[in-house]
Amino acid sequence: SRVGVNTLRAGLWLYDGLSLFRSPKLHRTYSPAQATEAEPLLNGKGLKGAPLYYDCATDDARLTLETMLDAYENGAMVMTYAPVTGLLQDDGGRVCGVQVRDLIGGRTGEVKARAVVNATGPWTDRTRGMGAGGRQLLSPTKGVHIVVPGDRLPLRWAVVCNHPEDKRVLFAIPWGEETYIGTTDTFYEGDPADVAAERSDVQYLLDAANAYFPKAALVPEDVICTWAGLRPLIREEGASESSVSREHEIVLGPDLLITIAGGKLTTYRRMGKEVVRKALDVIKLTSGDTPHMRDPKTGRDPLPGAIGWPEDDDSSRVAAMILDKAPSIGEKTAQFLADRYGTRGIDIAVKCSKDQRLLEPLLPGRPEILGLVDWAVEVELAERVTDVMTRRTQLFFRDRDQGLGAVEKVAERMAELLGWDDERRTQEVLTYQSDVGRSRAWQTE
């Protein structure tokens, strides 16, 4: 570490205090011998000690989806695969809506609004350019993760470390039957849609993993898959990648387009609250009145998959409830449903247990079942095969062949549910295969 053990210990007392001591357990500090006993693969050479602390884990795709579904159930209109192609402006130049294009049906249309919020992440500056524009807000950085089989890097705990070359913070995290390692932090200037892992990114992460876990001796062939994304960070002249602020900023343009940029996952509720307040200010400014708003409950009410979740955060209790309601689901799938879908796993299990076909595994030996395709389409608004494979079941990340052995079965079931013809079904399969190919492109650089 770049700081001493005593400094880390003081920082973690502060961390526990800021969380009002509500973490599952307080932190503790291990001696070198205790650290290597707790994590046997950890390189003990030069080790001064290791603090152990407790934090939260999240599935970011599931969090985004559950937030959207909660909004949908509370009256929001959700339009997926409908990118904005232009901003509508009234005679005074005020943004009063957007032009959209339906990527699936091919139609175009307009959506009118009393206030428009630009929350497009790495596309923020491009969206602003459709209207009055303004200074460049973002300085995006790319983050890459790699996934390796858990038996190649078996960890008991998530390990936080500094890269031996540039001292950036990295993580190695046990993830069910896999382990993932990340992340990189490099400036990115290309099209956000083209972001992908490069061979140098993968090697950078493998080098760090092998420095801290030399007995694993990971090689590129161990990498199951990669994923890459962009951090839409606020531009700071002269700042390095890792020093750019992770704070957010809300900007009101001269055309009254509201833009929110920057920020991080842990403050997403606060960001949402602030941007809604700004939207109400704009409506009051332009029309003289404020729309009637119900008392916001997002800070108190759980998202759909967390309703009835045990206070001790024990997912095995939810798995037991699933088995009680639907014994035919099996223990492995019950635990998978509890971990991935929360208490909604109970509803999925009950639905699937009524039709034995829906209990069929998508891949032999894995917990994902055919009924998850029905749930994704009927409840979770999935429109594409890649939605189911990547953002609903996560077979893209979890399976050692990234779900390619199941893609035909998923496409066939979605064709039944959504009325696709053979051409559409084939195209969906090809699109997913292309997505997998992009995540593996680094191999042939």
Side-chain angles (χ1 to χ4, degrees):
S1 172
R2 286 178 290 182
V3 297
V5 173
N6 288 333
T7 304
L8 279 175
R9 185 184 291 115
L12 286 171
W13 275 118
L14 178 62
Y15 178 88
D16 286 338
L18 290 173
S19 68
L20 303 180
F21 299 97
R22 290 182 298 192
S23 294
K25 296 180 182 179
L26 294 179
H27 78 274
R28 58 178 298 186
T29 302
Y30 282 169
S31 68
Q34 290 172 321
T36 52
E37 180 181 358
E39 202 60 76
L41 288 183
L42 187 63
N43 187 355
K45 185 178 181 180
L47 187 64
K48 307 292 187 189
L52 174 69
Y53 71 99
Y54 294 81
D55 204 346
C56 295
T58 187
D59 175 341
D60 52 1
R62 174 60 49 183
L63 178 63
T64 302
L65 180 62
E66 291 287 326
T67 300
M68 181 193 72
L69 292 172
D70 194 40
Y72 180 72
E73 292 172 6
N74 281 277
M77 178 182 291
V78 175
M79 298 175 66
T80 58
Y81 293 100
V84 170
T85 58
L87 301 178
L88 302 178
Q89 294 177 293
D90 61 19
D91 293 339
R94 179 180 70 89
V95 173
C96 58
V98 295
Q99 298 169 332
V100 297
R101 177 167 53 91
D102 177 2
L103 291 182
I104 296 175
R107 298 171 297 173
T108 59
E110 296 182 349
V111 179
K112 298 290 185 69
R114 298 174 70 183
V116 176
V117 176
N118 170 22
T120 54
W123 289 272
T124 291
D125 288 321
R126 184 184 301 181
T127 305
R128 277 160 54 86
M130 296 177 181
R135 65 182 173 89
Q136 184 176 344
L137 286 179
L138 298 187
S139 212
T141 67
K142 181 175 76 169
V144 171
H145 291 79
I146 61 174
V147 181
V148 299
D151 54 13
R152 290 292 292 115
L153 183 57
L155 299 180
R156 298 177 181 175
W157 306 90
V159 177
V160 185
C161 54
N162 296 111
H163 197 285
E165 295 175 8
D166 57 22
K167 307 307 178 185
R168 288 180 176 141
V169 175
L170 292 100
F171 299 81
I173 299 179
W175 201 35
E177 295 180 356
E178 294 77 42
T179 299
Y180 72 87
I181 305 163
T183 175
T184 63
D185 197 4
T186 54
F187 285 126
Y188 183 85
E189 297 182 352
D191 186 336
D194 294 333
V195 66
E198 300 173 35
R199 192 170 191 88
S200 59
D201 298 319
V202 174
Q203 194 60 55
Y204 173 89
L205 296 174
L206 289 175
D207 288 345
N210 287 328
Y212 285 93
F213 309 103
K215 293 179 182 178
L218 295 173
V219 294
E221 289 72 24
D222 289 318
V223 177
I224 296 172
C225 80
T226 66
W227 76 85
L230 294 179
R231 305 175 188 88
L233 305 179
I234 300 297
R235 187 178 186 85
E236 294 180 26
E237 293 296 337
S240 66
E241 294 96 323
S242 298
S243 66
V244 176
S245 172
R246 269 53 176 171
E247 295 302 312
H248 65 277
E249 184 176 342
I250 297 176
V251 177
L252 182 63
D255 54 3
L256 298 190
L257 175 68
I258 305 164
T259 294
I260 182 165
K264 50 190 180 292
L265 182 65
T266 49
T267 56
Y268 96 105
R269 286 185 182 273
R270 173 184 159 198
M271 292 165 65
K273 185 176 181 179
E274 290 179 5
V275 82
V276 167
R277 284 178 176 171
K278 181 62 72 173
L280 293 176
D281 289 343
V282 167
I283 293 172
K284 186 173 183 179
L285 175 68
T286 56
S287 63
D289 71 310
T290 301
H292 172 69
M293 298 289 290
R294 289 179 293 172
D295 176 36
K297 299 179 180 179
T298 58
R300 303 189 298 274
D301 288 357
L303 292 171
I307 297 172
W309 187 259
E311 289 189 8
D312 61 1
D313 204 33
D314 185 357
S315 65
S316 65
R317 293 175 59 187
V318 178
M321 288 188 276
I322 291 172
L323 283 172
D324 181 59
K325 294 282 187 179
S328 59
I329 207 80
E331 290 185 11
K332 188 173 183 179
T333 295
Q335 189 62 57
F336 165 82
L337 292 176
D339 290 339
R340 191 64 46 79
Y341 294 86
T343 51
R344 284 204 183 212
I346 300 171
D347 300 324
I348 296 172
V350 169
K351 172 184 172 61
C352 294
S353 65
K354 296 176 181 177
D355 182 347
Q356 288 301 303
R357 182 191 175 192
L358 299 182
L359 296 178
E360 178 186 344
L362 290 176
L363 286 168
R366 290 200 58 88
E368 298 88 356
I369 55 177
L370 185 64
L372 297 181
V373 181
D374 293 49
W375 185 263
V377 170
E378 295 170 357
V379 178
E380 297 183 340
L381 311 181
E383 292 282 348
R384 309 292 298 269
V385 164
T386 195
D387 293 338
V388 174
M389 302 295 288
T390 306
R391 289 174 282 276
R392 305 304 194 275
T393 65
Q394 291 191 351
L395 277 168
F396 177 92
F397 306 105
R398 303 282 191 158
D399 175 51
R400 297 198 180 192
D401 196 31
Q402 295 188 255
L404 290 175
V407 66
E408 294 279 0
K409 184 182 294 186
V410 171
E412 182 179 347
R413 183 57 178 167
M414 292 187 75
E416 292 178 30
L417 296 169
L418 295 170
W420 292 346
D421 58 21
D422 289 344
E423 181 181 0
R424 172 69 188 275
R425 183 180 63 190
T426 299
Q427 185 56 53
E428 288 292 327
V429 172
L430 292 174
T431 298
Y432 181 69
Q433 291 171 339
S434 176
D435 291 343
V436 172
R438 178 196 294 256
S439 83
R440 298 176 177 181
W442 64 272
Q443 298 173 349
T444 54
E445 283 180 5

